[in-house]
Amino acid sequence: MTDVVALGELLIDFTCIGSDADGYPTMAAHPGGAPANYLAALARFGAHTALLGKVGEDTFGRLLIGTLRKAGVETRGIAADAATFTTLAFVTLDSTGNREFSFARKPGADTCLSFEELDLSLLDEAKVLHFGTLSLTNEPARSATRKAVEYAKAKGKLISYDPNLRKPLWSSLEEARTQLLWGLSQADVVKISDEEVEFLFGLGPEEGARHILSQYGVKLVFVTCGGEGCVFKNQNAEGRVPALSGITVVDTTGAGDIFGGSAMWKLLSLGKSPETLNADELRQVVRFACTSAGLSTTRPGGISSVPAYSEVIRRLEEE
């Protein structure tokens, strides 16, 4: 049985590693895409995972599929399209390692995924469906996402959601807000950033977590706050866990996705419904996820930066 299926983008992140005399960036290609990073963390820790998505029938598409296979992620749900290119994201970093994105995606293959191309047998086998909002920016991927969520909910699957807001990809911020809120209305478990909470509700992390839990039917909320750690809340408990300390940040690309995948792995290992977890169990989940995500920032890339389970445990023991 598959533990988690994710639907969405599989792409190449071009990350700046320097610049030439004229100021043009020198860039390194890394496999990525939020759902792929999320699954890579789960697979790294031993979960059975699969991706539903679409790449171009090109060199980058073939490399990405090979990378996922090597990472232990099932790839039979990935379509290849000869008519479009694999999506490319260009990530420049400031002095603290924070990211600014631009995309080659007009269209990118990931936006061209249709519901008819989805391997629904993967959803039938899964415990969890995870999705974000990059697949909601354009048709036909938007309809494919909505129908897949409807299908999974009808089958009684746990729905996991990460808004993963990328403002340059939306026709308007109002459209982005509408689609992000739709995602919240569908989810059982939400991983959302403090910046996304501010964008949607004008609230801080704690107030935002309470609002999401009370207004959207969500069972468990994680609000990630970068270097300030993570706020968590379900019906039983709420609190904050600090970020991993004593590290040198190289690249934050994929850190939020790796947090989400790591948290889901820990949730599955506990074997309890998210709304029933107590404060100690939730702190255990968030400490593991914060440690995993923190370690990932000490190396470049998304999929390639997921730490080994033994490294996470060793660091937890040190803390």
Side-chain angles (χ1 to χ4, degrees):
M1 184 172 186
T2 304
D3 294 305
V4 182
V5 170
L7 186 153
E9 69 277 7
L10 178 61
L11 50 77
I12 299 290
D13 286 319
F14 284 92
T15 304
C16 180
I17 57 174
S19 58
D20 65 16
D22 295 320
Y24 286 91
T26 301
M27 309 197 88
H30 298 285
N37 297 332
Y38 176 95
L39 292 181
L42 279 152
R44 183 79 156 148
F45 303 137
H48 297 287
T49 65
L51 181 68
L52 295 169
K54 195 169 193 176
V55 296
E57 201 171 279
D58 52 38
T59 299
F60 283 132
R62 289 188 288 273
L63 281 170
L64 285 166
I65 290 173
T67 296
L68 279 193
R69 286 175 180 160
K70 186 177 179 180
V73 177
E74 171 61 58
T75 61
R76 76 173 190 263
I78 302 174
D81 187 351
T84 57
F85 286 110
T86 298
T87 299
L88 308 178
F90 297 90
V91 189
T92 52
L93 304 174
D94 64 20
S95 59
T96 65
N98 287 317
R99 307 154 296 161
E100 183 174 344
F101 287 86
S102 58
F103 293 84
R105 193 180 185 242
K106 297 182 179 180
D110 71 294
T111 69
C112 299
L113 180 69
S114 68
F115 182 72
E116 291 70 27
E117 292 175 299
L118 300 183
D119 185 343
L120 296 179
S121 70
L122 289 169
L123 289 179
D124 292 336
E125 299 167 7
K127 300 174 185 174
V128 181
L129 171 64
H130 174 76
F131 73 105
T133 58
L134 266 69
S135 61
L136 295 172
T137 58
N138 301 87
E139 292 289 0
R142 179 184 294 178
S143 292
T145 303
R146 285 175 170 257
K147 291 178 181 178
V149 171
E150 180 183 10
Y151 183 91
K153 286 173 75 74
K155 296 280 186 176
K157 311 301 182 181
L158 190 75
I159 306 298
S160 168
Y161 171 62
D162 180 353
N164 196 33
L165 176 64
R166 297 287 177 261
K167 292 180 181 179
L169 292 177
W170 293 93
S171 59
S172 72
L173 292 183
E174 189 54 43
E175 176 66 15
R177 184 174 286 104
T178 297
Q179 297 302 324
L180 265 65
L181 292 176
W182 176 84
L184 283 178
S185 72
Q186 304 300 307
D188 299 306
V189 177
V190 170
K191 199 279 327 174
I192 187 170
S193 73
D194 54 349
E195 293 176 349
E196 290 157 351
V197 168
E198 169 67 27
F199 169 75
L200 288 174
F201 308 116
L203 297 173
E206 286 84 3
E207 296 84 358
R210 295 179 196 124
H211 181 76
I212 291 169
L213 202 77
S214 66
Q215 298 299 313
Y216 290 92
V218 174
K219 297 175 180 177
L220 174 59
V221 182
F222 303 113
V223 182
T224 54
C225 307
E228 300 302 314
C230 176
V231 170
F232 62 84
K233 181 168 178 57
N234 70 356
Q235 66 182 8
N236 294 328
E238 62 181 277
R240 183 190 285 260
V241 171
L244 184 64
S245 61
I247 57 174
T248 300
V249 174
V250 172
D251 181 5
T252 60
T253 303
D257 313 320
I258 292 165
F259 175 98
S262 301
M264 180 55 68
W265 181 83
K266 198 67 176 174
L267 287 172
L268 291 172
S269 71
L270 290 172
K272 299 175 67 174
S273 298
E275 70 274 21
T276 67
L277 297 172
N278 62 37
D280 288 342
E281 290 166 330
L282 286 170
R283 287 187 181 280
Q284 183 184 146
V285 169
V286 179
R287 283 189 67 230
F288 182 88
C290 281
T291 302
S292 177
L295 289 170
S296 79
T297 68
T298 65
R299 60 208 72 169
I303 293 172
S304 55
S305 71
V306 181
Y309 178 74
S310 59
E311 184 181 3
V312 178
I313 296 302
R314 183 167 60 251
R315 190 56 190 261
L316 282 168
E317 291 172 349
E318 292 173 359
E319 292 286 311

